[in-house]
Amino acid sequence: MPIGWNFPNNNHGTINGIGDAGIETFKGALYKSLAREICQNSLDARLDEGKPVVVEFQLTDELRTRIPDYTQLWEAIRKCNRFWTGQGNQRAMDFFSRADECTRLPLVSILRISDHNTTGLTGSRDSINTPWQNLVKASGVSGKDGSAGGSFGIGKSAPFACSEVRTIFYSTLDKYGLKAFQGVARLASSPVVESSDLYTTGVGYYGDIKKNTALEECRSLTQGYTRKDSGTDLFVLAFIKKKNWENEIIKAVLDDFLVAVFNEDLVVYVNKTCISKDTLQGLLERIKEECPDIYNNYLVMTKPTYQENLDFENMGKISLRVLMGKNLRRKVMICRKNGMRIYDQKKISTIIDFAGICILEDEKVNEYFRKMENPQHTRWEPDRHTDKDAALKFKALKDLIRNYILDKGARATVDETDAEGVGEYLADFGESFSNNEEKSEQVSDQNMDIELFDSPTKSMQKGFERMPGDGTSFEEGLGDIEDYTGGEDGEKDYHDDDPNKTHEGNSFGKNDGPGQGSGGLSGSGEIRETGSRNGDSDQMMKTTYNVRMMSIRMMELNSAKNEYLLIFTPEKVSGKAFLQLQLSGEQPGKIPLRVVKAKNKETGENLLCNGDRILFDTIVPQKKYKIEFSIDYAEKCSMEVNLYGYTR
């Protein structure tokens, strides 16, 4: 049996370049993708359900002579380098130049990835549709279903993305005692012989050359390691060793498999670091500042405020764990049954501090949602599903989670609420009563000098503003507009309260709980170069400026359709303008509210909407406007509305 590397020819068919789609899929997040795909495959192949799956990532430098038939592999890489250099393909030249350098070093970095308490890759003697064939030789094939992690058959590309020479050796001892060993190099097409018009497919196999089949043995490419139990070893040649690669893999495991580790379904070793239930707390303490979401999820696992199993549309059980508490990240991690994170559900509430974990527990509900996953298993995309109602079911699950959080959040008592800015106006009792000294009220008979002064009167806007661009410089225009700059925060205004008299920073709240919006944060009369494009024209908005509004009121017209009525009177401005709507609350920064539609109630004119803006061709001063609009946001919230004029 001839043994060695074989790069089959393409029979005058497809020429494959360096842009392998499967590999490129994972290039953006090398170590996270590697950890995710490996741990997922190992959990899918769990042997004894009573014991955890153990995965090892061990990096060593080995003599290149440990690589089977390395001279033939190195020559294949150099031949590709010569061919693609001749084609002037810069990307291929860059890749093969680096690969060529690796072949000239006496030592090669090899990352060994081994799993234990798994079935190993069965079916190594068969020719098609077995775990061995699907991983080593098939493309776009996966035999997994139900709650299994993989489904597209492209995750096998993740280890190749971590190799400078795109070469992996596989070795397995399966649960039936069968052994297999094979190498795969995914390079690029090159002439079978120099100056020939027959090219290779670009993929090479080490093993039995006659049929490109595996050798019936287990081999190790790293010193001091021999497989003795069932499982699989991957040897990643010329591993791309970036700074902090170990920490990146550790963080990836904690991020994507926290539930599996916590439930003692998975133990991972990254060189000398062990990730297990026993070591979780110590590891998370180290990274909690850097990765607060992971730490939040750990708190949910260890001390949930609420925990419940719910039936989802007769498809099976889902479990929800929710922790209520100050400064939590307001996300719910969605996990598969095997403890693998898919994504975080956000935009649940801006006023309730919580963290949560939702696990699809039953087989049927796992299988249903797995069919709408993207290839990286990090999103659900209903268009991928064959069920025409997939989008509705996805929305139903999100609503179930959201409503559960809102219901529990309304009952929860937050012990302490930090009202930003209030501290400036409250006495500092900690300082006043230092050293436990008792204070008593006293009347002094001493005369004191008291200085009286007038509070500065805030200037009002006078006449029309002189705009930058009307014959004045930008700085001159700035000076004029500063005349009507209040510079103070506005007051919170509710739709059923009296109108806001401050005219700056107009906030409206419809929430019932704490944190009903701070309001007025943007009433600064700010002038800025926006550089953004107006939705009603291709011309650039050169300058925007805040415009005061008087007699402002906001009313909710239809809560089911998120429809509102805004009444306001611009004080002194004419010309083009827009209203901008944002969430206003205790969250940092402003969150734009997308306006779906708007119309002038008085004239019936439909107004142009662009993102969080409602645009006007002309705003007439001292005229009352009644604007009906709807937004793409269903939750109760505090809303901030500002009016801006602009020039182009």
Side-chain angles (χ1 to χ4, degrees):
M1 179 174 66
I3 297 174
W5 282 99
N6 181 37
F7 288 82
N9 72 64
N10 68 351
N11 195 24
H12 301 284
T14 303
I15 300 289
N16 293 306
I18 199 63
D20 184 307
I23 294 174
E24 295 299 325
T25 300
F26 300 104
K27 292 289 281 186
L30 286 181
Y31 306 126
K32 186 172 179 61
S33 301
L34 179 69
R36 188 179 182 85
E37 296 298 332
I38 292 295
C39 292
Q40 170 185 284
N41 289 339
S42 297
L43 284 169
D44 288 346
R46 190 175 185 177
L47 181 63
D48 184 346
E49 294 291 332
K51 297 178 181 178
V53 169
V54 178
V55 177
E56 300 175 81
F57 295 85
Q58 300 288 337
L59 181 66
T60 55
D61 290 332
E62 305 288 344
L63 290 170
R64 61 184 180 183
T65 52
R66 292 191 65 86
I67 302 170
D69 203 1
Y70 75 94
T71 54
Q72 190 179 357
L73 175 62
W74 283 186
E75 178 52 33
I77 291 171
R78 289 166 187 161
K79 190 165 69 171
C80 285
N81 193 14
R82 291 192 296 272
F83 173 71
W84 288 100
T85 299
Q87 303 305 311
N89 186 310
Q90 189 61 50
R91 191 176 178 190
M93 290 162 59
D94 292 342
F95 170 79
F96 284 113
S97 293
R98 289 195 304 274
D100 195 349
E101 290 176 10
C102 292
T103 66
R104 300 178 188 281
L105 299 174
L107 296 177
V108 180
S109 294
I110 298 179
L111 180 70
R112 175 176 62 83
I113 306 170
S114 304
D115 64 25
H116 305 274
N117 187 33
T118 62
T119 61
L121 293 171
T122 57
S124 57
R125 303 290 187 270
D126 301 320
S127 59
I128 194 168
N129 199 25
T130 65
W132 171 268
Q133 297 294 345
N134 290 344
L135 179 67
V136 178
K137 295 176 71 175
S139 178
V141 177
S142 173
K144 299 177 181 178
D145 53 18
S147 60
S151 55
F152 286 89
I154 67 170
K156 61 176 71 69
S157 297
F160 286 93
C162 295
S163 169
E164 293 280 18
V165 293
R166 293 190 177 183
T167 302
I168 308 292
F169 280 89
Y170 302 90
S171 181
T172 191
L173 171 61
D174 72 17
K175 63 181 180 180
Y176 304 113
L178 297 180
K179 300 176 181 178
F181 177 79
Q182 190 160 26
V184 179
R186 290 166 62 173
L187 304 178
S189 294
S190 63
V192 174
V193 295
E194 299 289 347
S195 303
S196 166
D197 64 350
L198 184 62
Y199 298 90
T200 67
T201 61
V203 180
Y205 302 94
Y206 175 83
D208 180 355
I209 292 176
K210 188 176 180 181
K211 288 190 175 181
N212 296 318
T213 52
L215 304 181
E216 297 179 4
E217 58 181 292
C218 266
R219 283 196 196 179
S220 171
L221 302 191
T222 58
Q223 280 189 312
Y225 173 78
T226 302
R227 173 162 291 279
K228 297 177 181 177
D229 57 344
S230 67
T232 303
D233 303 314
L234 272 69
F235 300 93
V236 183
L237 258 58
F239 177 68
I240 299 175
K241 188 171 58 176
K242 295 184 178 179
K243 185 179 180 183
N244 293 329
W245 71 271
E246 293 171 278
N247 286 337
E248 292 302 313
I249 289 182
I250 291 169
K251 285 189 292 185
V253 172
L254 294 174
D255 192 18
D256 290 334
F257 295 94
L258 178 67
V259 173
V261 174
F262 184 85
N263 290 337
E264 299 185 271
D265 293 326
L266 179 66
V267 173
V268 179
Y269 291 88
V270 183
N271 279 344
K272 295 181 180 179
T273 301
C274 174
I275 307 172
S276 68
K277 184 175 183 180
D278 293 337
T279 62
L280 266 184
Q281 184 167 0
L283 291 170
L284 289 167
E285 288 293 336
R286 280 167 38 191
I287 65 168
K288 67 179 182 181
E289 298 297 331
E290 183 184 0
C291 307
D293 287 353
I294 303 175
Y295 191 70
N296 271 204
N297 292 333
Y298 177 68
L299 294 178
V300 175
M301 294 299 298
T302 52
K303 45 186 177 184
T305 306
Y306 301 100
Q307 185 173 352
E308 198 161 348
N309 291 328
L310 304 171
D311 180 71
F312 178 70
E313 302 210 344
N314 297 319
M315 284 197 285
K317 184 176 63 179
I318 66 168
S319 67
L320 268 174
R321 289 169 173 259
V322 178
L323 175 65
M324 300 287 178
K326 189 177 178 182
N327 296 329
L328 295 173
R329 305 278 290 179
R330 299 173 179 169
K331 298 177 184 176
V332 174
M333 179 172 70
I334 310 295
C335 293
R336 290 265 204 86
K337 178 184 179 181
N338 64 5
M340 183 176 77
R341 169 181 170 273
I342 302 299
Y343 77 104
D344 289 336
Q345 183 174 335
K346 307 173 187 174
K347 298 181 180 179
I348 292 174
S349 172
T350 60
I351 59 175
I352 301 172
D353 285 348
F354 69 92
I357 296 175
C358 173
I359 303 174
L360 309 184
E361 298 284 359
D362 283 345
E363 196 82 9
K364 188 175 179 181
V365 70
N366 268 274
E367 185 170 7
Y368 184 86
F369 282 98
R370 191 168 66 93
K371 292 179 179 176
M372 63 176 79
E373 286 179 9
N374 63 341
Q376 293 92 342
H377 309 290
T378 54
R379 284 198 306 272
W380 283 338
E381 298 167 342
D383 286 346
R384 295 180 181 274
H385 208 294
T386 54
D387 183 3
K388 60 181 176 57
D389 294 329
L392 294 176
K393 287 190 170 57
F394 184 25
K395 183 177 184 303
L397 180 61
K398 290 195 293 185
D399 288 346
L400 177 67
I401 295 170
R402 179 185 293 110
N403 292 336
Y404 185 87
I405 300 286
L406 296 179
D407 178 60
K408 300 303 181 186
R411 302 179 192 181
T413 299
V414 179
D415 295 334
E416 182 181 351
T417 300
D418 184 11
E420 186 177 355
V422 172
E424 296 179 22
Y425 305 101
L426 298 178
D428 189 343
F429 294 105
E431 183 176 321
S432 301
F433 291 88
S434 60
N435 301 323
N436 298 321
E437 295 176 357
E438 294 186 1
K439 302 295 181 183
S440 60
E441 191 175 284
Q442 293 182 346
V443 177
S444 172
D445 58 0
Q446 293 182 336
N447 295 327
M448 299 180 65
D449 294 330
I450 300 175
E451 184 179 357
L452 300 177
F453 58 90
D454 293 331
S455 298
T457 302
K458 187 166 52 178
S459 62
M460 297 298 292
Q461 188 175 3
K462 298 175 182 178
F464 295 104
E465 295 81 13
R466 188 170 53 172
M467 308 300 179
D470 61 353
T472 66
S473 67
F474 181 82
E475 290 74 15
E476 288 172 326
L478 180 64
D480 286 341
I481 296 175
E482 280 181 340
D483 286 343
Y484 66 80
T485 301
E488 298 174 355
D489 289 345
E491 295 175 356
K492 185 165 54 186
D493 191 6
Y494 301 94
H495 60 82
D496 53 352
D497 289 341
D498 289 336
N500 189 332
K501 298 296 196 302
T502 61
H503 310 161
E504 296 145 1
N506 311 288
S507 287
F508 303 86
K510 68 169 186 173
N511 49 302
D512 302 322
Q516 292 178 325
S518 55
L521 294 177
S522 62
S524 60
E526 177 187 20
I527 295 179
R528 59 187 182 278
E529 293 285 329
T530 64
S532 62
R533 286 193 177 275
N534 186 354
D536 64 345
S537 148
D538 286 333
Q539 294 179 291
M540 297 288 286
M541 280 185 187
K542 291 184 177 178
T543 306
T544 61
Y545 48 89
N546 185 263
V547 177
R548 293 181 186 178
M549 293 187 285
M550 301 181 297
S551 303
I552 312 165
R553 292 184 67 84
M554 175 91 81
M555 286 168 279
E556 186 180 69
L557 299 178
N558 187 326
S559 60
K561 296 181 178 179
N562 309 316
E563 293 177 347
Y564 300 86
L565 172 65
L566 174 67
I567 304 173
F568 69 95
T569 303
E571 185 176 330
K572 294 284 185 181
V573 72
S574 64
K576 290 185 175 297
F578 63 86
L579 286 166
Q580 186 173 42
L581 282 72
Q582 297 171 311
L583 280 178
S584 176
E586 68 272 27
Q587 76 282 352
K590 300 293 178 63
I591 300 175
L593 286 168
R594 192 175 77 83
V595 183
V596 177
K597 62 180 179 180
K599 74 173 183 179
N600 187 323
K601 186 179 179 182
E602 298 292 325
T603 65
E605 175 192 6
N606 290 322
L607 301 172
L608 186 62
C609 304
N610 184 14
D612 60 349
R613 300 176 179 184
I614 302 172
L615 297 119
F616 300 85
D617 282 337
T618 302
I619 281 288
V620 179
Q622 302 297 334
K623 177 184 176 181
K624 179 179 286 187
Y625 283 83
K626 296 181 180 179
I627 307 299
E628 292 181 347
F629 66 94
S630 62
I631 58 175
D632 184 19
Y633 192 80
E635 303 303 326
K636 293 183 176 182
C637 64
S638 294
M639 195 184 308
E640 182 171 313
V641 180
N642 288 287
L643 177 64
Y644 294 96
Y646 67 91
T647 61
R648 294 185 300 189

